[in-house]
Every structure is written in structure tokens, then in C-alpha cells.
Amino acid sequence: MLRPHVPVNPLPTGLVTPLQPTPVPAADVEPTASVPTPAPVAPVRTSIQLTPGSALALAAGGGAVVLVVGAVLVSMLLAVAVTGVSVALIAVVLRLLVRDLQKGR
């Protein structure tokens, strides 16, 4: 029952050896002059220089991004908390209604 079963492939899957190329007679070969292609030259990169004004703008932009992301995360957390409280209140009200219906009031 728990013996492994190896499936048998009906098609052969062995390695196929390519055909041997036919040799070309030496008289048919024409010499060609090969000119080496020049190596591509990498473009010169300019270094970025931060002035005090641009560094201040960069720091202010980073601070603004942090504040916006923080505000979005806090608002999402607040939305989850409000939803949880409202679901808990609905559960309490439904429990009281079901209890009143069972008592026959």
C-alpha cells in the first residue's frame, strides 16, 4: 500500500547527440580581415553636490513624508479601534434583545 510507484514514460527522454558537422575543404575558406571593435566608453558621471539650502529642503521633504505616513497610519489604527468598539456595542445590544425575547417580555 505504501510502496513508492515510479511512473514509466513511454517516450524516450535520453540525451540526443547532434550530428557531426561536415568538414569544409581548405580551398573554399576565404580569409577575412577582422577589425576589433573599440570598447564602449563609460559616460562620465557628475558628482552631486549638496548646498546648505538643498540639504535643508531635502531634510524638510523627508520630515514631511514621515509626518504624512504617520498620520495615515494613526488614522487607520483609529478607524480599526472605532469599528471594534461599535461591533462590541452592537453585540451587547443584540445579546440584551435576545435575552428579552427569550424571557417573553
Side-chain angles (χ1 to χ4, degrees), residues 12-60:
T13 59
L15 295 175
V16 178
T17 56
L19 297 175
Q20 296 293 331
T22 57
V24 178
D28 293 344
V29 177
E30 296 178 8
T32 58
S34 63
V35 177
T37 59
V41 179
V44 178
R45 291 189 173 196
T46 59
S47 60
I48 299 174
Q49 296 178 357
L50 289 177
T51 61
S54 62
L56 183 63
L58 187 63

